[in-house]
Amino acid sequence: DVQVDGRQLAVVALETVGCPAGGALRGIIALAGGEPACELLALRLLLEEVLPERAAAAGEAAPPWAAAAASAAREVARQTWRDHRLRQAEFELGVPDELPPQLATSALLLRWVLAFRFELSGGGSVEWRLPVRVRAACRPPPPPPFARALELETVVHDGGDEEASGSWLSLIG
């Protein structure tokens, strides 16, 4: 739940808590309505990097450092809605497969976050963050380079004196 001054502004429901790299994060944002109205809703998918010295500066011990301030962030995807009558919005943000999944070591934390910004009528805004999980994609390994160009000669004996031969240019389609 997203709240402003003790009252509900919005409810965010994700289809799943995360997705694999190359997949998509999907969900619904339901705005409560009333005053102040939400005039602009911006949603960004961020990949954040946190380094240990930044965590220590924030007064945190060694990992886990989920609340530490990000040393760097990369915006991966964005959706924006600009309508004061908006009551519900569905979203789907793609996660590029070339970016890394979440990762935590003693030297580095990579985390994925959905960052929401609600701009309200009468001025003011509310920012809200929701951590999400991005897993490594499960893909079969690529075929070895030689397999694509490998040529096989097959010889078929039909039991008589004749032979038939053919060529296959690839083992893998």
Side-chain angles (χ1 to χ4, degrees), residues 50-71 106 109 111:
V50 180
L51 301 175
E53 60 271 10
R54 186 71 180 246
E60 295 194 28
W65 358 330
S71 304
S106 60
L109 171 69
R111 65 182 173 204

Side-chain angles (χ1 to χ4, degrees), residues 86-107:
L86 183 67
R87 294 295 173 251
Q88 182 172 312
E90 292 187 27
F91 63 89
E92 180 174 335
L93 300 173
V95 178
D97 59 0
E98 71 270 7
L99 293 178
Q102 65 187 40
L103 169 74
T105 71
S106 60

Side-chain angles (χ1 to χ4, degrees), residues 7-150:
R7 69 175 193 82
Q8 186 176 35
L9 175 64
V11 174
V12 177
L14 296 178
E15 189 176 282
T16 61
V17 190
C19 72
L25 292 163
R26 295 176 189 87
I28 297 175
I29 306 162
L31 297 167
E35 289 298 321
C38 180
E39 294 189 350
L40 180 127
L41 170 57
L43 171 59
R44 299 181 307 149
L45 176 60
L46 304 174
L47 174 57
E48 296 182 333
E49 173 187 272
V50 180
L51 301 175
E53 60 271 10
R54 186 71 180 246
E60 295 194 28
W65 358 330
S71 304
R74 175 178 175 182
E75 182 177 296
V76 175
R78 166 193 296 255
Q79 277 189 291
T80 304
W81 298 266
R82 192 180 306 268
D83 185 348
H84 70 279
R85 298 165 300 193
L86 183 67
R87 294 295 173 251
Q88 182 172 312
E90 292 187 27
F91 63 89
E92 180 174 335
L93 300 173
V95 178
D97 59 0
E98 71 270 7
L99 293 178
Q102 65 187 40
L103 169 74
T105 71
S106 60
L108 172 70
L109 171 69
L110 293 178
R111 65 182 173 204
W112 289 84
V113 176
L114 286 174
F116 297 83
R117 180 177 175 86
F118 302 87
E119 292 187 9
L120 307 175
S121 61
S125 64
V126 174
E127 297 200 18
W128 188 68
R129 298 166 51 86
L130 180 63
V132 292
R133 254 183 296 193
V134 172
R135 304 179 304 278
C138 293
R139 294 184 191 87
F146 68 87
R148 287 194 174 100
L150 185 60

